[in-house]
Amino acid sequence: MPGEFYVENKAEKVSLETVESNLAGLNTKADAIKARTDNLAGENPWQGATTADWQTAEANVISIGAAGIRNKIHDLTVSIHNLVGTQIRVRLYKKVNGTERKVYDQSFDATSDPVGLPVINGTWAIHDVLRVTLLSNNAVDNGKAVDYDYMLEKMLS
């Protein structure tokens, strides 16, 4: 009969139900592992541009993430190729114990620094919004586009 076999030199039947049940359990675990490892590929890259009056006041480039959603951000690159200011200030803000705090602040020179700024080159875990801002010291930069590119990976619970 299917699911049964006879052990040589024994006349008794041996059931394979336990083996089949254990295999089904292993398949379930393998599917769960696959779901986790498939997640490691991350989402498609996010890209875009924001236009603002960068010299008038510190302005938002992009807000990444959402309240209560856990992500890993593996890369954030901001391009200042359209700007001419000698003090381009990039800042990152995120909530720390429920209050938004400045967690990164660096100044760049659009005339001499690389036009692509690897603001995050590694991995940060975020569980709320990460806000990216920019401020220029040159009024000519007002109305210019600032490009950005970043990679996210959702963290499963």
Side-chain angles (χ1 to χ4, degrees):
M1 298 291 293
E4 298 178 343
F5 68 94
Y6 290 91
V7 176
E8 193 173 325
N9 297 325
K10 287 192 173 186
E12 61 191 61
K13 293 185 211 176
V14 177
S15 174
L16 295 178
E17 286 181 26
T18 304
V19 173
E20 290 171 344
S21 175
N22 287 339
L23 283 175
L26 287 174
N27 283 335
T28 301
K29 289 178 181 178
D31 289 344
I33 291 169
K34 183 179 182 321
R36 295 279 184 170
T37 57
D38 285 351
N39 186 57
L40 295 176
E43 298 179 17
N44 289 329
W46 294 81
Q47 309 176 65
T50 303
T51 302
D53 289 339
W54 306 111
Q55 188 269 334
T56 305
E58 178 182 14
N60 288 335
V61 176
I62 183 77
S63 291
I64 301 168
I69 305 297
R70 298 180 317 170
N71 287 294
K72 293 177 192 170
I73 182 166
H74 295 290
D75 172 68
L76 168 62
T77 302
V78 175
S79 177
I80 57 173
H81 70 278
N82 290 328
L83 307 181
V84 296
T86 56
Q87 290 182 359
I88 306 298
R89 196 159 204 169
V90 177
R91 293 180 178 145
L92 302 180
Y93 296 87
K94 75 181 224 178
K95 286 190 178 177
V96 177
N97 196 22
T99 303
E100 185 180 68
R101 304 284 187 199
K102 180 173 43 177
V103 294
Y104 175 88
D105 186 349
Q106 189 165 354
S107 189
F108 299 93
D109 184 339
T111 64
S112 63
D113 284 329
V115 294
L117 308 175
V119 178
I120 296 175
N121 183 13
T123 300
W124 278 22
I126 57 175
H127 54 86
D128 213 300
V129 175
L130 176 68
R131 192 165 61 93
V132 182
T133 68
L134 190 136
L135 176 65
S136 171
N137 69 336
N138 194 322
V140 174
D141 290 339
N142 288 338
K144 302 288 173 129
V146 170
D147 297 341
Y148 57 84
D149 189 289
Y150 63 94
M151 289 286 300
L152 280 183
E153 175 188 337
K154 286 196 185 311
M155 295 174 68
L156 301 175
S157 52

